[in-house]
Amino acid sequence: MPNLVSIIICQGYSEILGNPKIRVFVGVETMAFWWPLLVLAFAYALCRFLLMLIPPNVPSIDVDASDVMDDKNQIPENSFIYIPPRGRTQSDTKVQCYEPATMKYLGYLPALTPDEVRVRVVQARKAQKVWEKSSFKQRRQFLRILLKYIIEHQELICEISSRDTGKTMVDASLGEIMTTCEKITWLLSEGEKWLKPEYRSSGRSMLHKRSRVEFHPLGVIGAIVSWNYPFHNIFNPMLAAVFSGNSVVIKVSEHASWSGCFYFRIIQSALAAVGAPENLVEIITGFAETGEALVSSVDKIIFVGSPGVGRMIMRKASETLIPVTLELGGKDAFIVCDDVDVERVAQIAVRGVLQSSGQNCAGAERFYVHKDIYSSFVSQVAKIIKAVSVGPPLSGRYDMGAICLQEHSERLQSLVNDAIEKGAEIIARGSFGHIGEGAVDQFFPPTVLGNVKHTMKLMQEEAFGPIMPIMKFSTDEEAIKLANDSRYGLGCAVFSGSQRRAREIASQIQCGVVAINDFASTYMCQSLPFGGVKDSGFGRFAGVEGLRACCLVKSVVEDRWWPYIKTKIPKPIQYPISENCFEFQESLVETLYGLNIWDRLRALVNVLKMISEQQNASDNNSSSTRRND
């Protein structure tokens, strides 16, 4: 039944407001209270807006790019260098670099020995001891300088990435520039907030205490990164590590060392501009032994690459028990329900599978389309794919570039052949443009396959290429089951005209990142953590979780009202403990955590009574001792 007092109060309030004069009076009093607050809020917003109009004082940096953009040292256009497997020489002392799209020679870089790696880490550790005392103001200025350079030199950054990996300029802009700029702006806006001490509740037993979590630099962060996005894969761990007060040593892939070393110059120039210590950021080049030495020398390792290498890194990291973040392969599901705008979703699907020639850890690799729209979706996708032209990205206007790794095209074709042998059919393929004779093997046509099944290798192994296998489903439950039938669990995309339906499907898929009615949008939201489950790895980078993962997370408890209230051990449990110590402890537990208020009050009385008895006994003993003396 409703509370009688509440009914009377509500009825009286209604009668009062029923009087027009009183209503006016209340309205005037309310306006008199709120008006100054509204004026202050408007003034504050106006000041913030005007401050935004004032450009920050960000110095420019000069980065020498003459050697990377000068073709005079290049081998003539009709000459080609083949170095199988890519990157190695017979002596393994040099990392050879070339353009995948043309097979032109770019140069070589040293393969560092384990001893050389350890020297770099020692130098970075010394620099970190200085940098950890830097202010957030200095760190933000470092980020602004980088951001300014990136915006002003987008074409240069993208062209170098394109030359070293074979991707188109647009793909480089989407995957290298936008993602990095988004991360920088998020750190500028929120980074300091998430690294400041965070106060937590102290619980019932520690009401007299103040509890907080502090985030301190770990020391030297090590990163071993993949080749598919050489610019962003360097900047991503570097930005989080440096902003949180660490130094960082990054081993770039032997398949993208040439571009990585130029991007290092940008970082060096920006650090010098803010007076940061030398060797705070190091880029190292080499092969497996170089990476192993890095893992055994740093305070944390971040790895982006394959599950097989990830397991090797875990084994090596276990020797020194350092934390590990593994961002491994993916086999992302792309689910299309029957209530979507087919034409719109088809365009997103093709971008999801062809971005950077399909060489994405979070690329769309398994397409599940509702049977009622399967034919129309396949028709739209085929139309788009047939219009896609493939060729050297800097030699003409091509939609898709090269495959970065040598011999990977052969593996992609073997996956297609296996699928065809098991009943799949090729629905559509893109076309090649003008490709030099020596680089034919570096290209693979975008391919759409139908009638695929999960028994095919293409639906189980990470393809890492521009292949689009499409499979029908009848119910949402079937789509969920198919999506979860994978040893990978990085991401997924779910499309439906009903967001509620899409959310319901996505919530049941075993993966780390989900995009509703979009593809890969989670990575562009840099406030979100990025990572997967199962063979896609564990741990997170990006977002609050990724930033704090670069920190020693320290729990701190101190007295809330020091020095007026201090911790004192109750008499019954002081050494030597009393006879009723356990009874006291039982009553104390019930006082703090009992479910019934009356039981808790009764227990509190017992606690106070036992403390009083113990105190009286102690006083009597003291009196007896004095009399005896």
Side-chain angles (χ1 to χ4, degrees):
M1 292 179 62
N3 188 295
L4 183 60
V5 176
S6 299
I7 294 174
I8 295 171
I9 292 173
C10 292
Q11 184 176 353
Y13 185 69
S14 300
E15 290 175 357
I16 289 172
L17 291 184
N19 189 321
K21 293 182 180 179
I22 295 178
R23 281 204 307 270
V24 171
F25 175 76
V26 172
V28 170
E29 287 294 309
T30 303
M31 287 300 294
F33 174 77
W34 285 107
W35 180 249
L37 296 179
L38 291 172
V39 171
L40 288 173
F42 177 77
Y44 174 76
L46 181 62
C47 290
R48 288 288 300 269
F49 175 74
L50 293 175
L51 286 173
M52 289 174 60
L53 298 179
I54 302 173
N57 182 22
V58 181
S60 298
I61 56 174
D62 184 29
V63 180
D64 181 20
S66 59
D67 55 338
V68 294
M69 298 308 295
D70 186 2
D71 286 336
K72 288 187 293 185
N73 296 325
Q74 299 297 315
I75 290 177
E77 185 174 350
N78 293 327
S79 299
F80 301 94
I81 300 294
Y82 293 92
I83 311 163
R86 184 184 177 188
R88 287 185 177 268
T89 61
Q90 291 182 350
S91 62
D92 284 352
T93 60
K94 297 177 181 178
V95 179
Q96 298 282 1
C97 308
Y98 66 91
E99 293 183 9
T102 62
M103 297 298 288
K104 287 182 181 179
Y105 185 59
L106 291 172
Y108 68 88
L109 294 157
L112 299 189
T113 65
D115 287 340
E116 289 172 323
V117 172
R118 284 187 277 270
V119 169
R120 299 286 184 95
V121 173
V122 169
Q123 292 173 337
R125 197 174 296 282
K126 290 179 181 178
Q128 189 274 330
K129 297 300 181 184
V130 178
W131 182 251
E132 69 178 349
K133 299 179 177 66
S134 64
S135 66
F136 282 110
K137 180 179 178 181
Q138 185 180 10
R139 299 176 195 179
R140 279 194 295 270
Q141 185 71 339
F142 167 63
L143 298 187
R144 291 191 187 100
I145 291 171
L146 286 176
L147 184 60
K148 181 178 181 180
Y149 182 88
I150 293 168
I151 292 172
E152 293 176 352
H153 298 83
Q154 296 181 58
E155 186 175 359
L156 171 63
I157 294 168
C158 289
E159 185 171 339
I160 289 174
S161 173
S162 176
R163 291 183 68 184
D164 207 14
T165 64
K167 63 168 60 71
T168 66
M169 293 287 284
V170 170
D171 287 351
S173 178
L174 287 169
E176 309 272 26
I177 301 294
M178 286 189 70
T179 50
T180 305
C181 289
E182 190 67 36
K183 188 177 187 74
I184 292 174
T185 53
W186 178 76
L187 284 170
L188 286 171
S189 175
E190 299 185 37
E192 181 179 359
K193 176 178 74 173
W194 296 112
L195 292 176
K196 283 186 172 180
E198 182 179 281
Y199 285 87
R200 306 279 181 90
S201 64
S202 296
R204 292 181 179 180
S205 63
M206 294 287 117
L207 281 174
H208 59 299
K209 301 288 187 179
R210 183 189 292 115
S211 306
R212 67 178 181 272
V213 181
E214 295 178 350
F215 303 95
H216 300 273
L218 272 176
V220 182
I221 306 293
I224 300 175
V225 298
S226 61
W227 46 265
N228 55 340
Y229 289 102
F231 180 75
H232 181 70
N233 286 344
I234 290 172
F235 273 66
N236 184 37
M238 182 277 297
L239 290 168
V242 171
F243 193 80
S244 54
N246 298 282
S247 60
V248 61
V249 181
I250 303 172
K251 181 201 172 291
V252 292
S253 169
E254 58 268 32
H255 305 298
S257 297
W258 179 77
S259 58
C261 289
F262 170 74
Y263 297 145
F264 180 41
R265 298 179 193 174
I266 302 173
I267 297 169
Q268 285 179 309
S269 298
L271 287 171
V274 297
E278 290 186 30
N279 311 119
L280 184 67
V281 177
E282 290 280 3
I283 297 290
I284 59 175
T285 53
F287 304 108
E289 57 273 19
T290 306
E292 289 177 9
L294 179 63
V295 175
S296 62
S297 306
V298 295
D299 303 306
K300 174 188 171 71
I301 195 72
I302 300 170
F303 173 70
V304 182
S306 68
V309 178
R311 290 186 179 92
M312 294 169 58
I313 285 174
M314 280 189 66
R315 283 194 291 270
K316 191 67 179 177
S318 69
E319 296 175 5
T320 50
L321 292 178
I322 60 170
V324 178
T325 295
L326 299 179
E327 197 277 279
L328 308 177
K331 194 73 183 172
D332 288 11
F334 192 105
I335 299 173
V336 185
C337 297
D338 57 340
D339 54 355
V340 301
D341 178 349
V342 172
E343 187 175 350
R344 182 186 73 86
V345 176
Q347 281 288 350
I348 298 173
V350 174
R351 169 54 67 180
V353 77
L354 298 191
Q355 166 69 24
S356 193
S357 302
Q359 299 166 121
N360 299 286
C361 55
E365 294 218 0
R366 295 178 294 147
F367 291 80
Y368 303 108
V369 180
H370 195 278
K371 62 183 180 61
D372 291 347
I373 61 165
Y374 179 84
S375 297
S376 59
F377 180 82
V378 167
S379 176
Q380 285 287 340
V381 164
K383 180 181 177 182
I384 299 169
I385 290 291
K386 288 176 181 177
V388 171
S389 60
V390 181
L394 300 179
S395 301
R397 190 175 177 181
Y398 294 109
D399 302 300
M400 196 183 89
I403 300 297
C404 185
L405 300 188
Q406 220 171 15
E407 299 178 353
H408 187 56
S409 292
E410 294 179 12
R411 179 179 174 275
L412 293 176
Q413 188 58 51
S414 72
L415 291 175
V416 172
N417 293 342
D418 174 77
I420 292 173
E421 289 172 5
K422 294 175 180 176
E425 58 178 350
I426 295 178
I427 295 172
R429 280 193 136 170
S431 59
F432 288 144
H434 178 68
I435 299 173
E437 291 181 9
V440 171
D441 293 338
Q442 296 297 122
F443 294 88
F444 190 85
T447 304
V448 181
L449 290 172
N451 198 30
V452 295
K453 301 183 180 104
H454 273 215
T455 55
M456 301 169 181
K457 292 181 181 179
L458 181 60
M459 297 299 283
Q460 295 296 328
E461 299 178 10
E462 184 180 28
F464 224 62
I467 305 175
M468 190 176 191
I470 308 176
M471 191 171 178
K472 297 178 185 178
F473 72 88
S474 300
T475 65
D476 293 355
E477 291 73 21
E478 183 186 4
I480 294 166
K481 183 178 179 181
L482 290 169
N484 286 330
D485 182 24
S486 174
R487 62 191 180 96
Y488 294 100
L490 185 53
C492 75
V494 183
F495 291 80
S496 172
S498 166
Q499 279 197 318
R500 180 178 179 180
R501 179 185 181 186
R503 284 196 298 267
E504 181 66 23
I505 294 172
S507 68
Q508 299 178 66
I509 296 176
Q510 300 161 1
C511 63
V513 294
V514 174
I516 303 292
N517 286 318
D518 203 349
F519 166 73
S521 54
T522 45
Y523 198 72
M524 287 304 298
C525 299
Q526 280 291 314
S527 62
L528 297 177
F530 184 82
V533 294
K534 299 191 281 190
D535 274 16
S536 292
F538 57 83
R540 297 294 183 265
F541 59 74
V544 180
E545 293 78 3
L547 184 62
R548 288 178 170 179
C550 294
C551 298
L552 167 62
V553 181
K554 184 180 294 186
S555 299
V556 179
V557 178
E558 61 184 358
D559 288 303
R560 190 185 299 273
W561 296 292
W562 177 270
Y564 306 107
I565 297 180
K566 303 177 183 178
T567 296
K568 185 177 181 181
I569 305 298
K571 281 286 184 181
I573 58 174
Q574 286 184 6
Y575 291 109
I577 57 177
S578 64
E579 292 182 4
N580 65 345
C581 62
F582 186 73
E583 295 175 30
F584 169 82
Q585 193 62 29
E586 276 187 311
S587 296
L588 180 61
V589 169
E590 188 170 5
T591 300
L592 292 170
Y593 311 112
L595 299 178
N596 185 295
I597 185 64
W598 301 113
D599 291 340
R600 292 172 64 186
L601 288 173
R602 185 179 64 253
L604 177 60
V605 171
N606 290 336
V607 167
L608 296 175
K609 181 180 177 180
M610 281 184 273
I611 291 176
S612 177
E613 291 174 352
Q614 192 71 24
Q615 185 64 47
N616 291 335
S618 177
D619 292 343
N620 292 335
N621 290 335
S622 297
S623 298
S624 299
T625 302
R626 283 195 297 270
R627 281 196 299 270
N628 292 333
D629 291 342

